[in-house]
Amino acid sequence: MESVLVTGASGFIGSFIVEEALARGMEVWAAVRKSSSRAFLTDSRIHFIELTLSDPDALRKELDGKRFEYVVHAAGVTKCKDKEEFHRTNTLGTMHLVEALLDTCPELKRFVYLSSLSIFGPIREQQPYTDIKDTDTPKPNTQYGRSKLAAEQFLDSLAANGKAFPYVVLRPTGVYGPREHDYFMMAKSISQHVDFAAGYRQQDITFVYVTDVVQAVFLALEKGRIGGKYFLTDGEVYQSRTFSDLLQKELGNPWLLRVKAPIWLLRIVTFFGDYWGRLTGKVTALNNDKYHIMRQRNWRCDIQPARDELGYVPQVNLEEGARRSVAWYKENKWL
């Protein structure tokens, strides 16, 4: 039985990866923190392991004697109280994990790193927008994007330093689906009769449903080119209002107050949101990274390499994904 370690296993994407690995008959090790909820990790076949990604020495001890053919590194943070936490968790945490695996896991066949389209930032923003390609130069404008790019650059540096490591990088666009909280907040707002958008210039948006990300993870484990980097979307491009219209439909078409604010107003709101977060020590969704994400107009990207090299075929478009997501939110009393 082949063994897989999934970091961030209690998270949105990680919990779906665990479920798929179990369905494939793999021995599954779920890396969690003591404080992590295990609400979606209830299968008795799961082996739990606590990994201290912030401490290289402790991490080596925790991994010593374990055997993994595969590792999926889905752990990370998307919003933080301070920008240094992005670097500590997303960059240094990845570095520490890889270095520990190099020392303790010689039988490793593939290491799949879940990065993000956000590492590229606002490029190809001249209309008509064109697809971001893996040959483009990343210019991240968020702390999250910078931390993910730094982790990718570390992985790329291994071969140059004489270290053979079988890594594959996946760069999904906005991932949504059951259990996800950020897009859920949009659904909740619409259910309460408010739809908020920012900016008046055309915005091309891409999405990928969580099970399509999971599909790509296992394709990458099986046949991903070592050092390969693959964008993931559902293969379509949408306009900024498309998702909210679909959510409104699935919620029974409640009446809506549609608020479209200029970018400069969003800048003011997120500035004070960041300040409030630092003052209270609480993570807020209205932060500087959110401003830059909403300001970016082009989220198109080229998924042809994933199709050609991995055999990736998106299964869930946005209409179907919105239907499934809202149905789950209702069934689980989130809405």
Side-chain angles (χ1 to χ4, degrees), residues 4-7 49 51 53 56 59-73 93-113 154-155 158 163-167:
V4 60
L5 169 68
V6 182
T7 71
I49 181 172
L51 297 181
L53 298 180
L59 187 55
R60 283 182 177 84
K61 292 178 182 177
E62 290 158 352
L63 290 173
D64 190 39
K66 303 294 190 300
R67 184 185 68 85
F68 307 114
E69 280 87 9
Y70 303 104
V71 173
V72 181
H73 185 35
T94 302
M95 294 171 64
H96 294 159
L97 176 62
V98 170
E99 288 167 343
L101 289 169
L102 282 166
D103 290 344
T104 64
C105 196
E107 63 280 335
L108 186 66
K109 295 179 180 178
R110 284 291 188 282
F111 174 94
V112 171
Y113 176 57
F154 166 74
L155 289 168
L158 293 172
K163 297 178 180 179
F165 191 70
Y167 72 95

Side-chain angles (χ1 to χ4, degrees), residues 152-330:
E152 283 196 26
Q153 290 170 334
F154 166 74
L155 289 168
D156 291 339
S157 74
L158 293 172
N161 292 323
K163 297 178 180 179
F165 191 70
Y167 72 95
V168 181
V169 175
L170 299 180
R171 296 164 168 169
T173 184
V175 187
Y176 72 105
R179 308 175 192 169
E180 196 278 333
H181 285 84
D182 288 347
Y183 288 114
F184 161 70
M185 295 305 296
M186 186 175 178
K188 184 178 180 181
S189 178
I190 289 172
S191 73
Q192 296 172 344
H193 310 292
V194 177
D195 177 36
F196 177 82
Y200 298 107
R201 190 159 58 95
Q202 177 181 323
Q203 187 178 43
D204 284 3
I205 304 179
T206 50
F207 295 90
V208 61
Y209 191 71
V210 61
T211 55
D212 279 333
V213 175
V214 174
Q215 174 204 162
V217 165
F218 285 89
L219 288 169
L221 290 176
E222 177 187 352
K223 62 179 78 171
R225 174 173 50 85
I226 293 176
K229 301 178 177 67
Y230 305 97
F231 294 118
L232 300 177
T233 75
D234 67 4
E236 303 293 336
V237 177
Y238 305 93
Q239 299 307 302
S240 53
R241 183 167 155 173
T242 308
F243 195 29
S244 62
D245 284 346
L246 289 171
L247 290 174
Q248 182 185 22
K249 174 187 173 184
E250 295 302 326
L251 288 165
N253 291 305
W255 64 266
L256 273 185
L257 174 62
R258 294 190 182 273
V259 179
K260 196 162 191 175
I263 287 292
W264 62 263
L265 180 59
L266 179 66
R267 169 73 284 185
I268 293 172
V269 171
T270 55
F271 173 83
F272 283 105
D274 242 21
Y275 176 77
W276 179 253
R278 291 194 299 270
L279 193 67
T280 62
K282 296 180 179 179
V283 178
T284 173
L286 294 172
N287 52 44
N288 284 326
D289 268 15
K290 187 68 171 180
Y291 163 72
H292 289 296
I293 289 169
M294 295 186 72
R295 181 185 180 187
Q296 187 170 328
R297 299 288 96 180
N298 181 28
W299 291 93
R300 306 170 66 109
C301 58
D302 179 16
I303 67 168
Q304 197 59 44
R307 293 183 187 272
D308 293 342
E309 297 182 23
L310 301 181
Y312 171 67
V313 180
Q315 301 295 312
V316 184
N317 65 18
L318 192 60
E319 182 174 8
E320 174 62 16
R323 186 193 66 78
R324 294 185 190 183
S325 299
V326 172
W328 187 91
Y329 293 145
K330 289 179 177 178

Side-chain angles (χ1 to χ4, degrees), residues 103-128:
D103 290 344
T104 64
C105 196
E107 63 280 335
L108 186 66
K109 295 179 180 178
R110 284 291 188 282
F111 174 94
V112 171
Y113 176 57
L114 284 180
S115 185
S116 170
L117 176 58
S118 291
I119 73 161
F120 281 88
I123 66 173
R124 296 179 178 262
E125 294 256 302
Q126 295 297 316
Q127 291 179 290

